[in-house]
Amino acid sequence: KSAFIRSMSHEIRTPLNAVSGFSQVLCNPNFELDDEEKHDMEMRISKNVNQITNIINEMLELSKSESETSIDEGEKQQVCCNDLGRKALEDIRGKQHSGVEFRFTSEVDDAFTVHTNANRLMVALRHLLDNAAKFTDTGYVELSIAKQVDRILFYVTDTGVGIKEEDRERIFETFSKIDDFKEGLGLGLPICRRLITSLGGEVQLDPTYSQGCRFIISLPME
C-alpha cells in the first residue's frame, strides 16, 4: 500500500501539473504565442495525458492479472505468431529514442500458429518492447521468434543500459524500478510475467546476453 501511494502520487502528479500549466498558458489571452509554440504545447499536453492513461491502464491490467491466474481453453485460439509480433512492434513504434532502429526476425513462416490467447500475449510483448524502447538510447530494439521441439520463443533484445545481476529477479516485483527517474510505476514486467504464466508459459531475463537486455517469453506449442 505504501509503495502504491508513493508511486502513484509522483507518477500522476507530475503529468497533471504539466497539463494544467500548459493549458493555462494556451488559454491566457495575455500570452502571445505563434503557431509553432501552440503546437509544441499541444503536443506536450497530449504526451502527458497519454502518460496518465498508460498508468491507469497498467493498474487495471495488474488488477486483472492478479484475479485471473489461469485461462480457460475456450479463451484460446490459433494465433499467427509473425502477424502478432509485427503488430506488437508497430504499436510501440514512435516511442523509441531518435536513431534507435526497430527490427523483426522470425524462424517460422507466416502461416505458423500457436494455440494461445492473442490479447494476453500481445499485452505482454508490448510491455517488454515498451521497456526496451524506454531504456535504449542508441542501437536497436529487436523482436525475434524461434521454435523449439515443443515450445515457441519470443525474444525481445535491446542495446540499452542493461540490468545489474543483483536486480535481475527484483525487476519482476510489483512497483520495483531500476531507474526512479524513468516514467512508469514499475508494473510492466510483473504484469508481463503474470500474463504469460496464465498461458502456461514463462518469461525470464537472459543472463548470457551482455549488450543490453534480452527477455525471453516461452510458450507451449499445445
Side-chain angles (χ1 to χ4, degrees):
K1 180 179 177 180
S2 297
F4 173 79
I5 293 174
R6 185 169 58 251
S7 296
M8 287 296 294
S9 63
H10 170 73
E11 294 295 336
I12 289 186
R13 182 184 300 154
T14 301
L16 276 178
N17 286 339
V19 170
S20 175
F22 288 126
S23 299
Q24 289 176 34
V25 172
L26 283 173
C27 297
N28 192 329
N30 295 323
F31 286 99
E32 294 184 3
L33 303 173
D34 59 33
D35 290 343
E36 184 177 347
E37 290 172 324
K38 289 180 181 179
H39 178 70
D40 179 64
M41 289 190 180
E42 289 169 356
M43 293 295 292
R44 290 172 183 265
I45 289 173
S46 178
K47 177 183 177 182
N48 282 280
V49 168
N50 287 337
Q51 186 176 334
I52 296 171
T53 302
N54 290 337
I55 290 170
I56 301 301
N57 287 339
E58 281 193 348
M59 291 168 54
L60 294 173
E61 288 172 5
L62 177 67
S63 176
K64 188 174 183 179
S65 67
E66 286 181 331
S67 61
E68 299 179 0
T69 55
S70 62
I71 192 167
D72 295 333
E73 285 300 311
E75 297 181 71
K76 296 181 180 180
Q77 59 277 333
Q78 292 303 122
V79 177
C80 180
C81 296
N82 287 353
D83 284 351
L84 186 137
R86 292 189 185 102
K87 178 65 166 58
L89 198 59
E90 193 61 33
D91 287 348
I92 304 300
R93 193 173 300 280
K95 293 188 176 183
Q96 75 269 36
H97 293 278
S98 176
V100 174
E101 179 187 3
F102 274 4
R103 301 177 180 176
F104 176 80
T105 62
S106 178
E107 294 180 4
V108 301
D109 61 46
D110 285 348
F112 183 84
T113 62
V114 63
H115 191 64
T116 190
N117 182 276
N119 182 63
R120 293 196 181 193
L121 178 55
M122 175 69 80
V123 172
L125 284 173
R126 282 175 182 159
H127 279 299
L128 292 183
L129 290 166
D130 188 61
N131 263 8
K134 186 187 303 181
F135 289 99
T136 303
D137 294 328
T138 59
Y140 64 87
V141 172
E142 181 179 75
L143 172 60
S144 54
I145 301 174
K147 184 175 67 171
Q148 291 184 341
V149 177
D150 59 349
R151 303 188 76 80
I152 188 76
L153 305 177
F154 295 82
Y155 296 88
V156 175
T157 306
D158 65 58
T159 54
V161 296
I163 297 174
K164 297 178 181 178
E165 184 174 353
E166 59 267 26
D167 293 328
R168 287 176 180 171
E169 192 57 34
R170 185 174 69 87
I171 56 175
F172 290 102
E173 297 174 2
T174 306
F175 301 118
S176 178
K177 298 173 64 175
I178 60 173
D179 186 347
D180 290 332
F181 295 99
K182 293 288 186 181
E183 65 181 50
L185 293 173
L187 295 179
L189 289 175
I191 290 172
C192 177
R193 172 168 277 186
R194 289 175 183 178
L195 290 173
I196 296 303
T197 299
S198 75
L199 299 176
E202 299 175 344
V203 57
Q204 58 186 350
L205 178 69
D206 183 356
T208 66
Y209 181 74
S210 60
Q211 304 304 310
C213 285
R214 175 180 287 145
F215 287 92
I216 307 171
I217 289 177
S218 172
L219 290 174
M221 299 269 264
E222 297 293 340

